[in-house]
Each structure stands twice: as C-alpha cells, then as structure tokens.
C-alpha cells in the first residue's frame, strides 16, 4: 500500500501542476481578450477634423450649383426649417442607432456630442463657404435666402461629416 499511496500522491501533484498551468493559460487568454477588444472611440480632435473634411467634401460640389441657388431663393423659410428639422432627426438616428464604427456614447445635456459637433461644423462650414466664395453676392441672396441656402447645403455637409467620422 505504501507504493500505491506514493503513486497516488505523485499523480495528485501532477494533476495540481496541470491545473495550475491550465489556470495560467486561461488567465493569459483572458488578458489577451481584454487587450484585443477595441475600446470605444471617444470624441476627439481627430474626429472633429474628420467631420470638417467630410462636411467640406460633401457640401463643396453643391455650393456651385445654380439650381440650388434658385431653390434657396424660391423656398419658404418654413419649408427650409422643416428641412433643417428632418436633417437633424436623420443625423440623430444615424449617430445613435447605427452600428457603424465603435463610438463611445457621450452626451451633453442628453444630446449626443457627435450630433452637436456634426451640426455645428456642417452649418458653419456651409455658411462660411457661401460667404467665402461670394455665392451670396453672385446669387443676390437676401438674409432669408442666405439661411435657406445654408440649410440646403448643410444637408449634404451633415451627411459627409457623419460618413467620414463613422467610417474609420
């Protein structure tokens, strides 16, 4: 029985060693999994730069379209504000509900920060480009028509800002 007990003890030691090694491998795998999982992308200057590039890229071709100038002249301010609201709602849905990109959910006063930055950037870029290129002078815009043109061009700028920011 002495020899049998020694063998049982040896087997128990080997089993304990194997279990220890299995635990070590399991812990290493868990650590690797944690390192490999991507952390959500927080809103930063790189995202803002991408939004600016996207807004300019998508709005620029529409800036020089005479048909858009005519629409801006003929459309009512109420209809233009409806387009603004629709654009904001679509942007909100796209930013909050789409599964494109690994974006961190950050809010400011219960409004997604990305939505705020996209809207501010898109509308400032659109108004700035209309002013910078003198479109308001060439098209003889009144203040209301300038606002209409900004809203119409910003629809495309918002799409561009979101698209470039989310697709990385």
């Amino acid at each position: 029985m002495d020899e049998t007990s020694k063998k049982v003890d040896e087997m128990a030691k080997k089993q304990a060693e194997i279990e220890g090694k299995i635990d070590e491998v399991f812990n290493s795998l868990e650590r690797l999994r944690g390192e490999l999982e991507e952390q959500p992308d927080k809103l930063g200057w790189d995202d803002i730069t991408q939004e600016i590039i996207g807004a300019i890229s998508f709005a620029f071709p529409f800036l020089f379209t005479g048909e858009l100038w005519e629409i801006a002249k003929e459309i009512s301010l109420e209809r233009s504000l409806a387009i603004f609201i629709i654009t904001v709602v679509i942007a909100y849905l796209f930013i909050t509900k789409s599964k494109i990109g690994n974006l961190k959910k950050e809010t400011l006063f219960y409004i997604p920060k990305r939505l705020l930055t996209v809207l501010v950037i898109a509308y400032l870029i659109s108004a700035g480009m209309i002013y910078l290129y003198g479109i308001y002078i060439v098209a003889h815009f009144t203040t209301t028509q300038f606002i209409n043109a900004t809203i119409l061009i910003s629809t495309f700028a918002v799409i561009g800002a979101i698209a470039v920011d989310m697709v990385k």
Side-chain angles (χ1 to χ4, degrees):
M1 286 241 203
D2 234 359
E3 202 169 306
T4 306
S5 319
K6 286 181 184 179
K7 286 185 180 182
V8 168
D9 287 341
E10 285 178 27
M11 289 176 69
K13 286 180 185 178
K14 286 183 181 180
Q15 182 178 356
E17 285 178 30
I18 291 172
E19 287 175 357
K21 288 181 182 181
I22 288 173
D23 287 340
E24 189 178 314
V25 169
F26 180 75
N27 291 335
S28 296
L29 287 174
E30 286 296 317
R31 201 171 46 248
L32 283 174
R33 180 183 299 163
E35 291 174 9
L36 291 177
E37 287 179 356
E38 290 185 36
Q39 299 299 321
D41 182 29
K42 291 177 77 173
L43 183 65
W45 288 109
D46 61 328
D47 299 307
I48 291 172
T49 304
Q50 289 171 330
E51 289 172 5
I52 291 170
I53 291 168
I56 292 171
S57 300
F58 277 63
F60 196 76
F62 297 100
L63 182 66
F64 299 104
T65 306
E67 291 85 3
L68 192 115
W69 304 349
E70 293 303 318
I71 293 171
K73 284 184 173 184
E74 299 299 325
I75 196 171
S76 68
L77 186 59
E78 293 80 18
R79 193 170 295 229
S80 186
L81 291 175
I83 292 169
F84 170 77
I85 291 169
I86 290 168
T87 302
V88 171
V89 168
I90 290 172
Y92 172 79
L93 291 173
F94 198 84
I95 288 172
T96 58
K97 303 300 180 191
S98 71
K99 299 296 182 192
I100 299 173
N102 187 16
L103 307 176
K104 183 174 181 179
K105 307 281 187 210
E106 300 173 279
T107 59
L108 180 67
F109 305 115
Y110 302 106
I111 300 171
K113 283 184 182 179
R114 286 187 191 270
L115 178 64
L116 293 174
T117 59
V118 162
L119 293 175
V120 167
I121 287 170
Y123 285 91
L124 286 178
I125 294 251
S126 297
M129 288 192 325
I130 291 169
Y131 181 79
L132 178 69
Y133 287 102
I135 302 299
Y136 70 102
I137 295 170
V138 173
H140 306 292
F141 284 157
T142 64
T143 304
T144 303
Q145 292 168 344
F146 183 89
I147 292 169
N148 290 345
T150 301
I151 289 172
L152 290 172
I153 292 172
S154 293
T155 300
F156 304 106
V158 166
I159 293 167
I162 292 172
V164 173
D165 183 32
M166 294 184 95
V167 180
K168 295 180 181 179

